[in-house]
Structures are given as C-alpha cells and as structure tokens.
Amino acid sequence: MTTRFWVSLSLSVLMTAPATAQSVQSVLQSTATAMGMENLTSIQYSGTGWQGRVGQNVSPDRDWPRVELTSYTMTIDFETMSSKEEYVRAQSGTRELANLVSGDYAWTLDAQGRSVPQPAAAELRRLEILLTPWGFIKGAMAPGANPSMLTRNEYGGRSTVISFVAFGKYRINGTVNPEGLLERVQTWVPNPIVGDMYYENVYTNYREVGGVLIP
C-alpha cells in the first residue's frame, strides 16, 4: 500500500510541564469551537499532490519514487467513521482509483469500477480519519478516549499536546498551537518494510470555508 506524507525535521529544546490551569476537555472544546466544528458531522476536500512509494527508494539517502496525483478527493463521515478516498494517478497514462472504509469493512474500486475487498486495510483507514484535524478532535472527545495533555514551548509560544490511544493500540498525539488551532498530529504504525513507521501530519495556513477552518 502506498502512503503519502511530507516530513520536515528540526532539532529544538522543549520545556514540558503538566497542564493544570485547564482540563483537557475544556481545551478540546475550545479548539473545536475555534475551528468551527460544533455542527460538523462530515467533510469533503479536494486537491492535487503526489504519492511516495514506501521503501522503494534506490538508496537510503534518496526520496521515495513519486507518482503525481492529478486529482484527489477525500470524503469523511465522522459519525460512522467511514471515508471515500478518490484519486487519479498520472503514471504512463492516468489511472482512477478509490479506497473506501466503513467500520470493519474496507474495499477498493479499481480503474474498471470493480470492488476489491481489503479487510486488512480497514483499521488503518479509520486511523487516517483520526489523523485529520477534525477527526483528531472528535476522537479525543469521544466517550472512553481518556485523553491526557501537557504543555510545552513550541510554535512560538505555549502549546498544548493532547494524547489518546485509538483502537487499543495506536497512541495519537495532537499539538494545539498558541492560537488554539490543531497544528500537528502524529502516531506510529507497524509496517512490514520499515518497522514502526512514523506518521506526522502538519496543518498550517488555516482559512474559513463554510464556517469551518480548513488548513
């Protein structure tokens, strides 16, 4: 399976301390309000970009081979934890694909529109919903999530890091920046090629679309 991410690494000294002035739920609620999520149950966003083929770089110091995406659309229903990811690859022509998940069921629609069951992909696709800005907030606020938090100096001020465990195995950390917006989500996922693969999504340049803030 191909996984996309864009990673920027830097070294810095972080000062951490327990967050006591506010409860974790109040921080989550404030962030949800700031991001216009009070009535958000589903979302769809589109764009272009590229995919990197995990582990297929010719040497460790080379980037993963890229495949351009001429179109990309993600549709998410947060209430049912379902999604549909549609994209067109530009590689020796074009190829249209779609990845879907609903609960414990996952499948792919190939270029001919045929449905191919992929039950092993269901958990990861649901996890990717929680790695979106809105999915993380909703996941951390869900009954039984039991999130924890701490504060540290980051992003030019005092930021809050909120953490919870999804599906009993994936620890997800989300960083709320000093402006009260979710700026980073990170987790670790087992991968047969690279072992524990680090996922990091960084969200910046938020702007309002239909009352909801979109990075």
Side-chain angles (χ1 to χ4, degrees):
M1 183 179 69
T2 301
T3 301
R4 300 157 304 283
F5 52 59
W6 299 257
V7 180
S8 176
L9 300 178
S10 63
L11 298 178
S12 61
V13 177
L14 303 178
M15 301 298 293
T16 65
T20 57
Q22 293 178 289
S23 71
V24 62
Q25 290 297 333
S26 68
V27 173
L28 287 166
Q29 185 59 59
S30 296
T31 305
T33 300
M35 293 174 58
M37 291 176 50
E38 293 94 333
N39 300 312
L40 182 68
T41 59
S42 62
I43 197 166
Q44 182 183 83
Y45 51 89
S46 301
T48 59
W50 54 268
Q51 289 181 316
R53 296 186 177 278
V54 179
Q56 295 187 17
N57 44 330
V58 296
S59 63
D61 61 342
R62 299 286 296 276
D63 197 5
W64 295 336
R66 296 188 182 188
V67 177
E68 297 298 321
L69 302 180
T70 59
S71 70
Y72 178 91
T73 299
M74 173 67 87
T75 305
I76 301 173
D77 186 317
F78 297 108
E79 293 189 326
T80 61
M81 282 294 285
S82 60
S83 70
K84 183 178 183 180
E85 181 186 46
E86 304 167 273
Y87 54 96
V88 178
R89 289 177 179 169
Q91 185 181 31
S92 302
T94 59
R95 186 183 181 192
E96 186 173 352
L97 298 167
N99 297 324
L100 300 95
V101 63
S102 180
D104 294 329
Y105 298 94
W107 65 101
T108 290
L109 299 179
D110 63 17
Q112 287 72 45
R114 295 172 300 195
S115 178
V116 181
Q118 294 184 318
E123 188 172 78
L124 182 56
R125 290 180 188 173
R126 285 188 294 149
L127 177 65
E128 289 174 343
I129 294 174
L130 298 176
L131 299 183
T132 67
W134 322 278
F136 176 84
I137 298 298
K138 287 181 175 293
M141 296 179 72
N146 297 318
S148 60
M149 72 175 182
L150 57 81
T151 60
R152 63 188 184 188
N153 292 324
E154 192 173 26
Y155 296 122
R158 201 69 170 166
S159 297
T160 302
V161 181
I162 297 172
S163 179
F164 70 98
V165 176
F167 314 134
K169 63 176 75 172
Y170 302 106
R171 178 161 294 281
I172 308 176
N173 303 321
T175 301
V176 179
N177 65 22
E179 287 71 45
L181 302 177
L182 192 71
E183 186 141 341
R184 181 173 66 189
V185 180
Q186 57 190 167
T187 191
W188 295 260
V189 175
N191 181 276
I193 299 175
V194 298
D196 284 338
M197 186 161 68
Y198 177 59
Y199 275 39
E200 181 179 68
N201 293 348
V202 177
Y203 300 108
T204 60
N205 300 320
Y206 277 90
R207 55 184 174 180
E208 184 178 337
V209 179
V212 178
L213 290 189
I214 308 292

